[in-house]
Amino acid sequence: MMTSDAFSPSRAEPASMTISSPPDAAQAADATSARLHAVRAEIGKVILGQNRVIDLALTSILAGGHALLVGAPGLGKTLLVTTIGRVMGLDARRVQFTPDLMPSDILGSEILDEDAQGRRSFRFVAGPVFCQLLMADEINRASPRTQSALLQAMQERHVAIAGTDHALPRPFHVLATQNPIEQEGTYPLPEAQLDRFMMQILLDFPDLQAERAMLLATTGTTQATTQPVMSADDVIAAQHLVRALPTGEKVLDAIVHLVREARPETTSSDAIRQSVAWGPGPRAAQALMLATRARALLDGRLSPTLDDVAALAQPVLAHRMALTFTARAENQKLEQLIDGLLGHLG
C-alpha cells in the first residue's frame, strides 16, 4: 500500500527495517552536536525558561518539518522564531495573519512592467514566503483560502503563480502560532492541514525563577544579544545527517506500535477505541521517526532510544487525533490517553 511521504527527499530510496549510518557519521555527528550545543546556548541567552520549547523547535527544524506553536500572548513566540533564525543563520520573516490577508500577500504576484521603449511584460514579485524561516503569526485568523496557499507551499516547497513554478529557498521551515484563548473570528485549521505540521508545541508560563530573570534581563538599559552559530548550509548538512543516523529495531517497532495503538481502528486499548474519533496516519510515524533521530543528535547521541519516542509522542501525535463527543463531554484529555499508551513501549 502506498503512503504519503511528506518528509522524504527521495521516493526512490529502498525501505529497510533498520536504518544504518555511514562510517563517518559518528565524526560528523560529534561536530554537529557541538554546534547545536552552541545554538542552544545562544538562544538561551534571550529565551528564558522555555528550554523544552527551544529543543522541540530545533528538533522540528533538524528533522525537516514545520511546527505549530500554541500559547497565550506574551510568551515569546515571535522572539523565539527571530532568535532561532539569527542564531542558525537563516533568513527569517514574519507575517501577521488577518482575515483580509489574501494568498498573493504571502506568496507573491505578477505585476505589469513597462520598459523605456514602452514594451510591457509581467514580472514576478516574490512574497514573504520566499525565506528560510517563516513565522506565520496567528495562522488561524486567516481565511481557509490563504491558509491552504501557505500549507501547500509548506508541503511542495514551491509555489505556482500564473502557471510558473517558483522554488522556495532551502531550507524552508514554517513556525506558525496560535492563541488558544481567543477563538472569536478565527478559522481553525482542518485535520488534513494540521497533519502537515510535524509537531504541535505547547508553551506554558515560565516558572518563578525564569520569570524573575526575564524581568531583570528585559527592563534594564542593556539587553542580551545573540550571534550566528550556523549557516543555512550547516542546517541542510545537519538535516542530511539526521537521516543517516542508525535506528534500531526496538525503536522502529515502538514507533509503529505506538501510532497503530493510537488509532481506534487498530488499537488494542479500550480507552482509545471508545474515546478517540480518529487517530494519526502514516505521516505521524514518519514524523516521529525523524524527530527521534533529530532529538538524539541534539543531545549528542548517535542513535535514538525509547526515551526519545516517549518524549516526542505528545507533540507529534496530539494534534493528529480527536476525541469523540462523549469523551469531550466527560472532559477527557488526549494527553492522558497518549500517556497511557507510553506505558507499553518496549
Side-chain angles (χ1 to χ4, degrees):
M1 180 179 65
M2 296 297 291
T3 60
S4 62
D5 193 359
F7 308 107
S8 175
S10 172
R11 298 178 185 269
E13 295 178 359
S16 59
M17 291 303 294
T18 301
I19 301 176
S20 59
S21 59
D24 59 346
Q27 183 177 357
D30 289 340
T32 302
S33 295
R35 283 185 174 179
L36 292 173
H37 179 76
V39 167
R40 294 162 86 181
E42 283 293 310
I43 297 174
K45 293 179 181 178
V46 177
I47 308 297
L48 305 175
Q50 298 285 4
N51 292 337
R52 175 181 173 275
V53 174
I54 293 172
D55 286 351
L56 288 176
L58 293 178
T59 297
S60 178
I61 292 174
L62 291 173
H66 313 283
L68 183 63
L69 305 174
V70 180
L75 294 181
K77 298 184 291 293
T78 302
L79 182 61
L80 172 65
V81 178
T82 56
T83 303
I84 289 176
R86 185 183 308 112
V87 174
M88 301 190 80
L90 303 176
D91 175 24
R93 298 185 187 180
R94 175 179 176 269
V95 175
Q96 180 67 50
F97 278 63
T98 56
D100 60 345
L101 196 71
M102 298 297 292
S104 58
D105 294 329
I106 58 173
L107 301 182
S109 61
E110 287 195 328
I111 63 173
L112 184 62
D113 266 352
E114 183 174 344
D115 61 17
Q117 287 74 37
R119 292 173 298 189
R120 296 179 178 180
S121 61
F122 285 99
R123 176 171 61 90
F124 175 66
V125 179
V129 75
F130 284 84
C131 63
Q132 294 170 324
L133 184 64
L134 177 68
M135 179 180 184
D137 206 357
E138 295 192 282
I139 188 174
N140 56 330
R141 293 201 177 277
S143 67
R145 181 182 179 186
T146 302
Q147 291 175 1
S148 62
L150 173 62
L151 291 163
Q152 182 180 6
M154 290 165 52
Q155 174 65 19
E156 304 297 337
R157 298 309 206 266
H158 67 80
V159 299
I161 304 294
T164 302
D165 286 342
H166 302 273
L168 295 175
R170 295 185 61 222
F172 174 70
H173 300 282
V174 173
L175 296 182
T177 71
Q178 281 192 169
N179 177 1
I181 300 175
E182 179 57 61
Q183 297 299 321
E184 185 176 353
T186 63
Y187 302 86
L189 292 174
E191 295 80 7
Q193 295 185 0
L194 280 173
D195 196 33
R196 300 297 182 184
F197 289 97
M198 175 175 277
M199 295 185 196
Q200 177 177 277
I201 304 174
L202 302 180
L203 282 80
D204 295 322
F205 290 102
D207 58 31
L208 174 62
Q209 295 302 321
E211 193 160 5
R212 185 177 185 276
M214 192 183 305
L215 287 175
L216 294 174
T218 58
T219 59
T221 57
T222 60
Q223 295 188 11
T225 58
T226 57
Q227 300 297 325
V229 176
M230 300 178 70
S231 65
D233 290 338
D234 294 331
V235 174
I236 293 173
Q239 292 173 343
H240 285 297
L241 180 59
V242 164
R243 292 177 174 271
L245 295 184
T247 303
E249 294 279 352
K250 195 171 183 180
V251 172
L252 177 60
D253 290 341
I255 292 173
V256 174
H257 176 75
L258 177 62
V259 173
R260 293 184 64 82
E261 283 294 304
R263 301 173 191 153
E265 299 86 356
T266 58
T267 188
S268 61
S269 168
D270 291 336
I272 295 294
R273 192 178 299 110
Q274 296 170 6
S275 301
V276 175
W278 48 266
R283 190 179 285 117
Q286 295 171 335
L288 194 52
M289 185 75 160
L290 287 171
T292 54
R293 280 185 270 175
R295 186 175 188 269
L297 181 64
L298 194 61
D299 286 346
R301 291 178 281 112
L302 188 59
S303 62
T305 66
L306 294 180
D307 290 338
D308 296 314
V309 179
L312 294 169
Q314 295 280 1
V316 171
L317 298 182
H319 65 294
R320 293 181 164 99
M321 303 171 65
L323 293 172
T324 62
F325 176 81
T326 302
R328 295 197 303 271
E330 295 174 351
N331 201 29
Q332 295 190 39
K333 303 296 182 183
L334 278 171
E335 291 76 12
Q336 296 173 351
L337 294 173
I338 296 174
D339 284 342
L341 297 177
L342 296 179
H344 302 287
L345 280 185

